Amino acid sequence: QPQIILLKEGTDTSQGKAQLVSNINACTAVADVVRTTLGPRGMDKLIHDDKGNVTISNDGATIMKLLDIVHPAAKILVDIAKSQDSEVGDGTTTVVLLAGEFLKEAKPFVEDGVHPQNLIRIFMSLFMLNVLHNGQAIEKIKELAVSIEGKSLEEKKSLLAKCAATTLSSKLIGGEKEFFASMVVDAVIAIGSEDRLNMIGIKKVPGGNMRDSFLVNGVAFKKTFSYAGFEQQPKKFTNPRILLLNIELELKSEKENAEIRLSDPSQYQSIVDAEWNIIYDKLDKCVKSGAKVVLSRLAIGDLATQYFADRDIFCAGRVAEEDLNRVAAATGGTIQTSVNNIIDEVLGTCEVFEEKQVGNERFNIFSGCPSGWTATIVLRGGADQFIEEAERSLHDAIMIVRRALKNSTVVAGGGAIDMEISRYLRQHARTIAGKSQLFINSYAKALEVIPRQLCDNAGFDATDVLNKLRHKHALPSGEGAPYGVDINTGGIADSFANFVWEPSVVKINAINAATEAACLILSVDETVKNPK
Ligand code: ADP
Ligand code: MG
C-alpha cells in the first residue's frame, strides 16, 4: 500500500484524543500561573523581559499579555482575558481560572472516551442557561442585589464606592481602597456621559506617599518647559479667560536659504524690525483677547514669555496635545490656529487656575471647569513599578464604576454568586437523566473554583470553608445565597452585608466567556502546523 501524501513535507500534525488532552493540559497550566493572584489575599507576579523592563502586576489581563504564550490553544485564554479587560475591565483572572477549570473537569470524560461534542452541547446549553439564568440563579441574586437606579447622588456614590473598593481590595493599593474608591467614584461622576474614558487623566508623580494622591475636578498637567521671565508671571487666577493656541510664539530665526537684496543699507533695519513687528503683533492680539492664561501646543519663546509676564499673564508652551484637548473640553475653549479675530467664544474659563508644587514637580491645575467633563487623578507613590500597577488598578476600578453606573445592578462577591449558580445547577442536574447529569455536575463543580481559590490564596482550609458554604447555600429558605468567603476570619460571611460587591455584568461576562473558550478548545481535535 503506497503512502498517500496530502500535506507539504515538514507539516506537523497531531490529532485525536491525545491532542485534545494536551491542549487541555496547556490551558490548565496557564490557569495555574494566574491562579494565585485571585482575590484580596492574592499574590502579585513580577515579570521581566531581557530588556530589563520589570512589571509587577495582579491584573490577569496584564499578566497574560506579558507572558507571551506560544501554545496555540492556550492563546485563546489570553484572548478571553484581554476581551474581558476591554469589555468590563475587571474579572480577568476569574475568566481564565474558570475556563481552565471547565477544561480540567472535562478532561477525565474525554480520557474515558466521551465524545467532546457531547460535553460541548451540555456546556453550551448551560451557557445558555446562564444567560437564561438571568432568569433563574442570577436573577435570584439580582433580587438580593441592590440596584443603584433612582437613588440620590450621595447614596449612589457610596454604593459605587463599595464596588470600586471590592475591585481595589485585590490590588497593591488595597490598603487604601476606601481612599481611592471614593476618588474614582468622584472622577467617574464628574465626567458624566460614559464614552469619555479618556477624559479621566491619570498623572503619575513618583515620590511621596500614595495618600498624597489627589483628584482634580478638571485638568492637571506637568509644568512645561519655560523660559526666563516665567518666574515673574502670576501663578494663580480666579475665573481667568483661557486662550488655547496651536501656533508658535517665537522669534523665527531667518531661513538659511533666504536672500534679500538691499539697494540702500538703511533699509536693513526695516527688515529686522519686520520680524519683531510680526511677533509683537501676535502677542498684542493675545493680550487684547483678554486672556489671562495662554497655552500653546507649540513653543512659546523667551520674548513672548517676558511680554506676557510684563502684562500679568500666565503662559505655557509645548503642552501635550492630549492635555490641551482636555483643557479645551473642560474649559469650553477652542484651540486656535491663528491669533487673528479671537472672539470671546473661543476663550475657555475655569474657577481657579493655579500652578502648584506636587512632590518634585510643578503642576498646572485647572479646577472648577464649567463643562465639568474631565477629571484628573494625580497618583503619588514610591517606586515606578508601584505607580504603574496603581494606575492599572485604578483603571480597573474606573471601568467597574462605569459598568455599575450603566448596568446598575450588583451581586455579592467573595465566591457567593459562584456558589449560588453552582448550587442551582446541581439542583437542575438532578432533574436530568443520563450522562448529561454528570457533565452538568462537573460544570457546577468547576464554578466552585472561585471560592476555593480565594481560600487557598488566603491560606484557609478550602475544604472546610467550601463545606460550610455548600451547606449555607443549600438552605431551603434561600437566605444563604449571599454567603461567600470571609477573607478576614477564614470562615464564611454574608458578602453582601460586608459590602463585597461586584457589578453583575462582570460575573455574567466572565462565565459566558469562559464557557465559550472551554467549548472552543474542546472542539479542536487536530492541530496542523504549516512549514513556512
Ligand atoms: P479579577 O482579575 O478576576 O478581578 P481579583 O484578583 O480582582 O481577580 O479577585 C476578584 C475576586 O476577589 C472576586 O471574586 C471578588 O469577589 C473577590 N473579593 C474581592 N474582595 C473581597 C473581599 N474583601 N472578601 C472576599 N472576596 C473578595
Ligand atoms: Mg479584580
Side-chain angles (χ1 to χ4, degrees), residues 373-388:
W373 275 353
T374 66
T376 309
I377 295 172
V378 180
L379 260 185
R380 306 296 317 277
D384 278 348
Q385 284 89 356
F386 179 85
I387 304 193
E388 299 278 336

Side-chain angles (χ1 to χ4, degrees), residues 244-262:
L244 307 166
L245 296 173
N246 196 3
I247 50 175
E248 231 168 90
L249 294 176
E250 211 166 13
L251 204 55
K252 283 267 173 56
S253 61
E254 288 156 54
K255 291 251 164 36
E256 278 133 41
N257 57 356
E259 187 178 313
I260 301 166
R261 296 192 178 199
L262 302 170

Side-chain angles (χ1 to χ4, degrees), residues 58-59 90-93 166-168 170-171 396 502:
N58 177 278
D59 181 47
D90 196 20
T92 50
T93 314
T166 303
T167 296
L168 290 174
S170 59
K171 309 291 183 191
D396 278 16
E502 294 179 272

Side-chain angles (χ1 to χ4, degrees), residues 74-96:
K75 268 192 176 160
I76 293 172
L77 296 193
V78 182
D79 290 343
I80 56 170
K82 278 193 201 158
S83 79
Q84 175 85 5
D85 194 36
S86 55
E87 277 287 308
V88 280
D90 196 20
T92 50
T93 314
T94 306
V95 73
V96 176

Side-chain angles (χ1 to χ4, degrees), residues 256-322:
E256 278 133 41
N257 57 356
E259 187 178 313
I260 301 166
R261 296 192 178 199
L262 302 170
S263 46
D264 179 0
S266 67
Q267 284 176 347
Y268 179 68
Q269 191 57 40
S270 70
I271 300 287
V272 176
D273 285 350
E275 265 177 2
W276 289 79
N277 287 340
I278 291 172
I279 176 109
Y280 275 128
D281 179 52
K282 279 189 190 168
L283 294 176
D284 199 39
K285 282 181 174 146
C286 293
V287 175
K288 284 233 180 71
S289 72
K292 281 289 163 198
V293 176
V294 179
L295 303 181
S296 177
R297 222 169 90 46
L298 302 173
I300 295 184
D302 48 355
L303 177 80
T305 306
Q306 189 62 51
Y307 191 89
F308 287 136
D310 294 342
R311 287 159 187 78
D312 280 346
I313 293 175
F314 176 91
C315 72
R318 295 191 204 279
V319 178
E321 182 169 10
E322 178 202 45

